Amino acid sequence: LEGIKAPAVHAVSLAYPKTAFDEEVACVEEGGGVKGFGVLVPRGEEIGTLGFQFINSMFPERAPRDESLLLAYYGGAQNPEAASLTAAEVSERVHGDALRMLLKKDAPEPRVLSVRTWPAGIPQYNVGHAAAIKASREALPPGLVLGGSMTGGVA
């Protein structure tokens, strides 16, 4: 399993006023804030953030009534230098990406609620991955099972 590449990913929780979202580019609810599950960012957009989840659209109780909570993912295989960034640097970059994609240009700085770094966050299922997992499972003693994101999906 040590041969499986799994680049770092940062999970960044940011809170914005509901009025900060740009109705021209985001799916904005009546009264402000974003609605829906979230958005994945195509790599061709040259944006470092992999995607945004609209947390309080799914779980309204997780943010005050006047705020929207975004959970962003930053890093991955095409952005390996992200692993060395500080929490402040990651938050700043994610905010910049949110400004490009979701927010009004004059949106305030977010409240940064958390930045969690997963050093081996996104396993890469490269050629030979299935064979490596199969061999690892066959090498286990009876009764022990192999699980986790490296074995069958990150979600």
Side-chain angles (χ1 to χ4, degrees):
L1 294 178
E2 290 178 356
I4 296 173
K5 293 183 180 180
V9 68
H10 303 279
V12 183
S13 295
L14 304 175
Y16 289 97
K18 285 190 173 184
T19 57
F21 294 88
D22 186 345
E23 298 87 2
E24 297 293 319
V25 296
C27 195
V28 177
E29 296 180 304
E30 187 175 319
V34 286
K35 61 182 174 180
F37 179 81
V39 60
L40 293 174
V41 181
R43 294 300 82 203
E45 294 296 316
E46 298 181 13
I47 289 178
T49 301
L50 300 169
F52 295 93
Q53 287 181 311
F54 308 150
I55 298 300
N56 63 298
S57 180
M58 297 176 287
F59 307 104
E61 70 283 356
R62 293 196 182 174
R65 295 174 71 92
D66 60 342
E67 288 185 330
S68 284
L69 176 59
L70 299 181
L71 174 56
Y73 296 96
Y74 192 90
Q78 295 182 13
N79 190 2
E81 63 277 358
S84 64
L85 297 175
T86 66
E89 290 169 328
V90 173
S91 298
E92 182 180 320
R93 291 181 185 199
V94 169
H95 173 62
D97 291 345
L99 280 168
R100 287 181 61 193
M101 292 189 60
L102 301 168
L103 302 170
K104 295 175 182 173
K105 299 306 172 211
D106 62 348
E109 293 286 321
R111 267 191 326 123
V112 179
L113 303 177
S114 70
V115 177
R116 172 72 167 106
T117 301
W118 301 98
I122 305 177
Q124 304 299 295
Y125 306 114
N126 295 324
V127 174
H129 179 82
I133 295 300
K134 183 176 186 240
S136 297
R137 284 188 168 137
E138 289 171 352
L140 293 173
L144 190 60
V145 295
L146 180 65
S149 62
M150 289 192 179
T151 64
V154 294

